Short mmCIF file of all heavy atoms in Angstrom, two decimals:
data_model
loop_
_atom_site.label_atom_id
_atom_site.label_comp_id
_atom_site.label_asym_id
_atom_site.label_seq_id
_atom_site.Cartn_x
_atom_site.Cartn_y
_atom_site.Cartn_z
N GLY A 261 -38.87 5.18 -50.29
CA GLY A 261 -38.71 4.39 -49.08
C GLY A 261 -37.33 4.60 -48.47
O GLY A 261 -36.36 4.92 -49.16
N ILE A 262 -37.26 4.43 -47.15
CA ILE A 262 -36.00 4.52 -46.42
C ILE A 262 -35.79 3.16 -45.73
O ILE A 262 -36.63 2.70 -44.97
CB ILE A 262 -36.03 5.65 -45.38
CG1 ILE A 262 -36.22 7.00 -46.09
CG2 ILE A 262 -34.76 5.66 -44.54
CD1 ILE A 262 -36.40 8.17 -45.15
N PHE A 263 -34.67 2.53 -46.02
CA PHE A 263 -34.42 1.19 -45.50
C PHE A 263 -33.30 1.21 -44.48
O PHE A 263 -32.56 2.18 -44.34
CB PHE A 263 -34.06 0.24 -46.66
CG PHE A 263 -32.74 0.53 -47.31
CD1 PHE A 263 -31.55 0.01 -46.78
CD2 PHE A 263 -32.65 1.32 -48.45
CE1 PHE A 263 -30.33 0.28 -47.37
CE2 PHE A 263 -31.43 1.59 -49.05
CZ PHE A 263 -30.26 1.07 -48.50
N ARG A 264 -33.18 0.11 -43.79
CA ARG A 264 -32.01 -0.14 -42.95
C ARG A 264 -31.49 -1.52 -43.30
O ARG A 264 -32.25 -2.40 -43.76
CB ARG A 264 -32.36 -0.08 -41.46
CG ARG A 264 -33.30 -1.15 -40.98
CD ARG A 264 -33.50 -1.09 -39.47
NE ARG A 264 -34.42 -2.13 -39.01
CZ ARG A 264 -34.04 -3.36 -38.72
NH1 ARG A 264 -32.76 -3.71 -38.83
NH2 ARG A 264 -34.92 -4.26 -38.32
N SER A 265 -30.21 -1.72 -43.14
CA SER A 265 -29.59 -2.99 -43.48
C SER A 265 -29.20 -3.74 -42.21
O SER A 265 -28.62 -3.15 -41.30
CB SER A 265 -28.35 -2.77 -44.35
OG SER A 265 -27.65 -3.98 -44.56
N THR A 266 -29.53 -5.01 -42.18
CA THR A 266 -29.11 -5.85 -41.05
C THR A 266 -27.69 -6.36 -41.23
O THR A 266 -27.14 -6.99 -40.34
CB THR A 266 -30.06 -7.04 -40.87
OG1 THR A 266 -30.06 -7.83 -42.08
CG2 THR A 266 -31.49 -6.57 -40.61
N ASN A 267 -27.09 -6.09 -42.39
CA ASN A 267 -25.72 -6.50 -42.67
C ASN A 267 -25.00 -5.35 -43.37
O ASN A 267 -24.71 -5.41 -44.57
CB ASN A 267 -25.72 -7.75 -43.56
CG ASN A 267 -24.34 -8.37 -43.70
OD1 ASN A 267 -23.37 -7.90 -43.11
ND2 ASN A 267 -24.23 -9.42 -44.49
N PRO A 268 -24.70 -4.25 -42.63
CA PRO A 268 -24.16 -3.05 -43.27
C PRO A 268 -22.79 -3.23 -43.89
O PRO A 268 -22.36 -2.40 -44.69
CB PRO A 268 -24.12 -2.03 -42.13
CG PRO A 268 -24.12 -2.84 -40.88
CD PRO A 268 -24.91 -4.08 -41.18
N ASN A 269 -22.06 -4.29 -43.54
CA ASN A 269 -20.77 -4.53 -44.18
C ASN A 269 -20.94 -4.91 -45.65
O ASN A 269 -20.00 -4.74 -46.44
CB ASN A 269 -20.01 -5.65 -43.46
CG ASN A 269 -19.39 -5.17 -42.17
OD1 ASN A 269 -18.70 -4.17 -42.14
ND2 ASN A 269 -19.66 -5.88 -41.08
N ILE A 270 -22.10 -5.43 -46.02
CA ILE A 270 -22.35 -5.83 -47.41
C ILE A 270 -23.28 -4.84 -48.09
O ILE A 270 -23.00 -4.33 -49.17
CB ILE A 270 -22.96 -7.25 -47.47
CG1 ILE A 270 -22.01 -8.25 -46.79
CG2 ILE A 270 -23.23 -7.67 -48.91
CD1 ILE A 270 -20.64 -8.35 -47.43
N MET A 271 -24.40 -4.56 -47.48
CA MET A 271 -25.36 -3.59 -48.00
C MET A 271 -25.42 -2.42 -47.03
O MET A 271 -26.01 -2.51 -45.95
CB MET A 271 -26.74 -4.24 -48.16
CG MET A 271 -26.75 -5.46 -49.06
SD MET A 271 -26.34 -5.11 -50.77
CE MET A 271 -27.80 -4.24 -51.31
N GLY A 272 -24.77 -1.32 -47.42
CA GLY A 272 -24.63 -0.20 -46.49
C GLY A 272 -25.91 0.58 -46.29
O GLY A 272 -26.84 0.55 -47.11
N ASN A 273 -25.94 1.31 -45.19
CA ASN A 273 -27.09 2.17 -44.89
C ASN A 273 -26.92 3.59 -45.46
O ASN A 273 -27.74 4.46 -45.19
CB ASN A 273 -27.28 2.26 -43.37
CG ASN A 273 -27.85 0.99 -42.78
OD1 ASN A 273 -28.89 0.52 -43.22
ND2 ASN A 273 -27.15 0.42 -41.81
N GLY A 274 -25.85 3.80 -46.21
CA GLY A 274 -25.60 5.12 -46.77
C GLY A 274 -25.64 5.12 -48.29
O GLY A 274 -24.94 5.90 -48.93
N GLU A 275 -26.48 4.26 -48.88
CA GLU A 275 -26.51 4.11 -50.33
C GLU A 275 -27.90 4.36 -50.90
O GLU A 275 -28.89 4.37 -50.16
CB GLU A 275 -26.03 2.70 -50.71
CG GLU A 275 -24.60 2.43 -50.26
CD GLU A 275 -24.21 0.97 -50.35
OE1 GLU A 275 -25.11 0.12 -50.57
OE2 GLU A 275 -23.02 0.66 -50.19
N LEU A 276 -27.95 4.56 -52.20
CA LEU A 276 -29.19 4.80 -52.92
C LEU A 276 -29.34 3.75 -54.01
O LEU A 276 -28.38 3.43 -54.72
CB LEU A 276 -29.18 6.21 -53.52
CG LEU A 276 -30.39 6.64 -54.37
CD1 LEU A 276 -30.60 8.15 -54.23
CD2 LEU A 276 -30.23 6.29 -55.85
N TYR A 277 -30.57 3.22 -54.15
CA TYR A 277 -30.86 2.21 -55.17
C TYR A 277 -32.05 2.67 -56.01
O TYR A 277 -33.06 3.12 -55.46
CB TYR A 277 -31.16 0.86 -54.53
CG TYR A 277 -30.00 0.28 -53.76
CD1 TYR A 277 -29.89 0.49 -52.37
CD2 TYR A 277 -29.00 -0.44 -54.39
CE1 TYR A 277 -28.83 -0.01 -51.66
CE2 TYR A 277 -27.92 -0.95 -53.68
CZ TYR A 277 -27.84 -0.73 -52.31
OH TYR A 277 -26.77 -1.22 -51.61
#
Side-chain angles (χ1 to χ4, degrees):
I262 298 174
F263 68 85
R264 66 175 180 85
S265 173
T266 60
N267 190 2
N269 283 309
I270 302 299
M271 303 295 289
N273 287 305
E275 299 168 350
L276 178 149
Y277 297 95

